[in-house]
Amino acid sequence: MAATPVNPQVIVVGAGPAGIRAAQALAEAGLRPIVIDEGRRDGGQIYRRQPEGFKRSYATLYGSEAGKAQSLHQDFEALRQKIDYRSDTLSWNLTPGMLHTVSQGRAQSLAYDALIICSGATDRLMPVEGWNLAGCYSLGAAQIALKSQACSIGASVVFAGTGPLLYLVAAQYVKAGANVQAVLDTSPALPPLAALRGLLARPRLLLRGLGLIASLRRAGVKVWQGITPLRVEGAPDSGVSGITLRDAHGNKQTIPCDAVALGYHLRAETQLADLAGCDFVFDALSRQWLPRMDGDGRSSMAGIYLAGDGARLLGADGAEAAGRLAALAALHDLGHGQGRTLFKEQAPGLRSTLNTMNNFREGLARAFPWPHQQAATLPDAAVVCRCEAVTAGELRRSVHEMESQEINRAKAFSRVGMGRCQGRYCGHAAAEVVAHAARIPIEDVGRLRSQAPVKPLLMDAQP
Amino acid sequence: MSQDKRSDVLIIGGGLMGVTTAFFLRHHHGLGVTLLERELIGRQASGTNFGNVRRQGRALEQMPLANRAHAVWGRVKSLLGEDIEFLPLGHLRVCYTHEQAAKLEEHARLARPMGLDLELLSADMLRQRYGFFSQEVVAGSLSPLDGHANPRLAGPAFGRAARRAGADILEHQEVVHIEKDGDDFVAHTAAGKTFRAAQLLVASGAWSDKLAAAFDEPVPMEARGPQMGVTEPVPYAIGPSIGVSSPVEEEGLYFRQITRGNIVFGGGLKGPASTETIRAGVRPDNTLRQFRELRRFVPAMARLQLLRVWSGIEGYVADSRPVMGPSARMPGLHYAFGFNGEGFAISLGVGETMAELLATGKTVTPIEAFSIGRFA
């Protein structure tokens, strides 16, 4: 058995709900963790804080979640003296026992005994013809524009896609006074029974979701479910002018607008786990590859722990519990006396919370399924990879003429996923296009291998 | 038990050396070929290298092979019926010291009678033609007919062309054991299949030394990985591939721009590579060192963003010469491996030469210097 460090160095990546609760648990046990945050301020995406000097109230910014946001921010303020918080810092690479960061052009290599990755999630996107026009944003980006800059993405906005965020952001836009034309959901109005069973794990949240939809309708917003987006209308010079869809009855309709926010629930940010060498497993329900982990957040690699939406999409409340549990598991594994006690006391309760969250997650995945079948009918001319301007037709050509049935192969041949986002936004859809073209199951297409840097790294960086 | 599959030549390894040999064996000589690749065609050294197509700076003993390769590169598009992005835009080497400039001059003098014309450039000429070099650059040497190609596409394209020409190019066939049965070589795969041929070519890159050792011909070789990176796209402006010529290993950088605009770079120290785990990593400190050297070389690079790094597994022979040609011990056995991180450019010549050797028993291209017999 490896020697136990007397004063272990634990690093937490991310200062969203999972990262903050992990750091808090570590500090309670007497450690001084390093918290690496890409953001300028703590809070992550869901509890993103407005820039210093902005004065909107918690109620305005976070609505029904104001209490949770405030409590998390306050707890973090109280922690500041007990942790080594490094904001505006990118974790760009990971090698055994060492996290590599860069901030303001300064690169650093930080040794760790345990690393807790709370890297969060981003929008999951399914391309539609015209989604590369100016004025088409991801749901998350639309939310950031509102929370961080207090502005709308357009004068007349349509929200399209699926998942809880679709309704949440639309409602936040309505509340902020923006002109929301419609909410277009690819999922059916009546979810399957198995979905309801899962959603009932958190009845209050379910009710709040239904309430959101009702409030949108009351505000005069068209809410259509069971739709299929066909095309974002517009021109390269003038940007978005509308969206064409097929409604649940099979009729084609065009809704005029000058901005579209698009998103299909979320995808976990898994590059750091991948660079760490963690095993991944295919999650058939969400049709995505996720790092393998045990119920407490241990990955397949010793010393690497995973929590929050970067590992499983349990939402903000789930992230708080998962962050705390992963930190306690790390302390337990490090042989930390007080940590072991805390772990023994708290792990059962946290696991049971996470279990509830996980049932709800499965309910959401069933109620708002990733509409992978859209990849099959995506026109050849539609752009899949926006960074590299790779079309569905080029991807299909790499399958039919160049014999690529594996996503890294398709990447090598077509350049899909080779641009600034490194496939973080197009990778899932590209894999679906390849699977449909090759007529093989999506899991056989594999997953894009991550390479450093996790995000683009300015080459003025100095050691 | 199923019948052994038989062909004239059996090739172990689906890198560029293997697939080009398979292609020319069919295309030029009409022989029956089976190629066994453990994983996918063109994945390691063949697919992850820089894509340099250069004769400049090459050991003079490789020049005939490089010239032969150069001739094939010139018609590669018509040969394959598809584009592997070969751009004969030149290869430029520059240096930081007058001492090194003298070495570039000497190389130009020695290479000329071997068919390579190099143009020597002063610091002023360099700055006139290429506005981006720092003041530290003092001289250069341009090989106008060299260039670069896309290594991600080359191996698979040759593999498909070989298949179209009638070769059996088999992926996901891991060879676990090879034995001699009379005049034949018999290869057994992990999946329990057997393949048989009178002639065998070992072209398994960094894994070849194990096979050679099994035939009692050990080669001192180690696996290393190139340290590659690519920037975001910027307006197309560079043209030739450009490298620093230096006796200091970590100064040895090179870069090229693809037509899409991204700048691909590599060079400096080699990274760790494991033939056991089939992993080659890019060391973060190497990446940062490359940034420093790139800025010193072309200051404007500081304003670019790095998008991705990668590596692959290459075989480096102790005397820095490839192993190529017939076995010194066993009739029918041949080798083509250990290209020391500079095999991409000459691979098309290696394939043509090895195919000629396997089909006719001799070759017009001198390769004696690369005989495995030198380690006996």
Side-chain angles (χ1 to χ4, degrees), chain A residues 146 152 154-155 170-180:
Chain A
L146 189 68
S152 162
Q172 286 170 339
Y173 263 63
V174 168
K175 201 166 172 201
N179 176 17
V180 177

Side-chain angles (χ1 to χ4, degrees), chain A residues 387-388 403 409 412 457, chain B residues 41 152 163 260 295 304 306:
Chain A
C387 302
E388 290 292 317
E403 302 164 16
R409 202 106 270 240
L457 177 61
Chain B
I41 298 296
R152 288 182 285 110
R163 200 175 282 156
R260 155 100 188 137
R295 295 190 301 253
L304 297 183
L306 173 76

